[in-house]
Amino acid sequence: MIAGELSSASNRALMFALGNLVKGTVLSEANFEVSVREAREKCRACSREFRLAPPFFCCPACGKPASSIEEGRKVYIDYYEGE
Amino acid sequence: MRVYLAKELLEANQNNAGENRSLLRASGVLMVNLIGSPGSGKTALLEHTLKKLSGYRTAVIEGDLYTDEDARRLSSWCNQIVQINTEGSCHLEAGYIGHLLAQENLLSAELLFIENIGNLVCPAEFDLGEDIRVVLLSVTEGNDKPRKYPLAFKVADAAVVTKTDLLPYCDFNLNQLNEDLRKINENLALFTVSTKTGEGLGDWCKWLEKLLQRKRSA
């Protein structure tokens, strides 16, 4: 799974939930991986690429606020693998 | 074998929100989602807003964990009110709002308000298909809330600072708040309101009326 760092989804909480969900099922031996993905954007004003960091999500070079934080809010299942 | 899904977990909610938005566009209803901490003054703001906008057909979806106290308080001031009790869940979801839009007579309103569950975290994560999202902040909570809960303010269209009659008794720095909000969301409309004195209610209601006119003429 990929969890955007602004998604409010805690890596630890996801692992806890997934681990408990599969207990006693055919997936009980499955391994789960949750990767946290940095939220980044190219600044509209100065074109510098920067990490969207709370609380202000502003470009550290020129101070322009981020246009959108949607990418950093996504949580999704990237892939599953099995025999 | 590796199978790539790349499927977003909130996709189902986003799809439902999109359907709600289409319904609202077709019927010309302006839907306003109010979020804020417990006690921030969401119900008081709604009560006074509904009184001031009594010339319009208004409806309210009232979200609460268990009780219908707020719905009973507001029922005299709007044409229709529907209570949602989430029984412990901390936010409303688009699917349930869509269910109400289809079942109830809410689309005959001109202005439809949603009072979300009192919480500054989860309601910010769930798009309901609203036209505008408004976050409330009372002066008794302190001006540091946007720094502590930036997402709620980043994804909002407006912020309403409530209980401004208490400003002389609180260490609330309005200038600092303004500066922080500009950094977080430069497009955020900011209103300061006291439902006790009525200060600021006129500007807030005029803004809503302007948005409704704009939606109708779109």
Side-chain angles (χ1 to χ4, degrees):
Chain A
M1 283 181 75
I2 306 284
E5 64 178 338
L6 304 177
S7 66
S8 310
S10 151
N11 190 328
R12 194 175 294 177
L14 282 170
M15 292 299 279
F16 174 78
L18 291 168
N20 278 289
L21 270 175
V22 298
K23 274 182 187 168
T25 74
V26 291
L27 292 174
S28 59
E29 299 297 314
N31 292 314
F32 297 99
E33 286 176 29
V34 180
S35 301
V36 177
R37 182 159 290 173
E38 273 193 2
R40 303 191 72 82
E41 183 181 279
K42 194 171 180 179
C43 178
R44 288 166 294 159
C46 72
S47 300
R48 175 177 162 161
E49 193 183 303
F50 65 101
R51 181 178 164 224
L52 302 173
F56 298 128
F57 314 110
C58 290
C59 171
C62 71
K64 184 85 174 166
S67 59
S68 165
I69 56 169
E70 290 312 309
E71 274 305 309
R73 295 178 64 196
K74 288 181 178 168
V75 181
Y76 60 96
I77 301 164
D78 191 28
Y79 66 84
Y80 65 88
E81 194 170 12
E83 297 292 313
Chain B
M1 188 175 69
R2 183 175 284 193
V3 179
Y4 284 90
L5 288 173
K7 200 166 177 60
E8 225 193 309
L9 294 190
L10 283 177
E11 190 178 289
N13 187 70
Q14 284 306 120
N15 291 342
N16 288 333
E19 285 173 20
N20 293 350
R21 211 160 260 129
S22 301
L23 272 175
L24 293 165
R25 195 179 305 123
S27 49
V29 183
L30 185 79
M31 186 159 89
V32 182
N33 179 11
L34 296 178
I35 68 175
S37 313
S40 58
K42 295 183 293 298
T43 313
L45 180 69
L46 257 181
E47 185 180 1
H48 287 81
T49 303
L50 292 168
K51 284 180 193 172
K52 230 173 165 57
L53 297 176
S54 60
Y56 295 91
R57 288 190 308 279
T58 52
V60 176
I61 296 174
E62 180 60 49
D64 255 314
L65 298 189
Y66 301 107
T67 72
D68 64 353
E69 283 178 33
D70 292 348
R72 280 191 280 120
R73 176 173 161 190
L74 296 175
S75 60
S76 315
W77 309 110
C78 57
N79 298 91
Q80 196 182 358
I81 189 155
V82 181
Q83 176 73 55
I84 302 180
N85 283 138
T86 60
E87 298 179 342
S89 181
C90 57
H91 60 274
L92 300 177
E93 291 172 22
Y96 206 87
I97 300 298
H99 171 75
L100 293 180
L101 292 178
Q103 299 295 317
E104 305 285 342
N105 199 25
L106 297 169
L107 292 172
S108 64
E110 293 167 290
L111 282 156
L112 169 58
F113 294 94
I114 298 174
E115 181 175 344
N116 217 310
I117 308 297
N119 182 343
L120 272 178
V121 184
C122 304
E125 295 286 345
F126 288 82
D127 183 6
L128 303 181
E130 67 270 37
D131 293 281
I132 52 168
R133 192 177 301 181
V134 180
V135 57
L136 275 72
L137 166 64
S138 60
V139 300
T140 50
E141 291 170 69
N143 59 271
D144 58 355
K145 289 298 161 289
R147 285 170 178 256
K148 292 188 171 181
Y149 302 89
L151 181 65
F153 294 86
K154 183 73 182 171
V155 298
D157 301 288
V160 180
V161 179
T162 59
K163 310 186 189 180
T164 54
D165 53 296
L166 297 177
L167 271 172
Y169 313 103
C170 301
D171 294 326
F172 190 93
N173 189 331
L174 206 47
N175 290 334
Q176 184 64 56
L177 175 84
N178 213 350
E179 198 179 304
D180 289 348
L181 289 177
R182 290 296 139 240
K183 286 186 196 162
I184 293 171
N185 183 349
E186 59 187 342
N187 299 317
L188 193 75
L190 180 63
F191 299 93
T192 51
V193 166
S194 164
T195 56
K196 288 282 178 212
T197 66
E199 182 208 348
L201 273 171
D203 287 345
W204 155 247
C205 289
K206 268 185 208 148
W207 184 71
L208 290 174
E209 286 182 289
K210 199 170 78 184
L211 290 175
L212 178 61
Q213 304 308 336
R214 193 185 299 164
K215 177 149 191 180
R216 282 170 169 172
S217 57

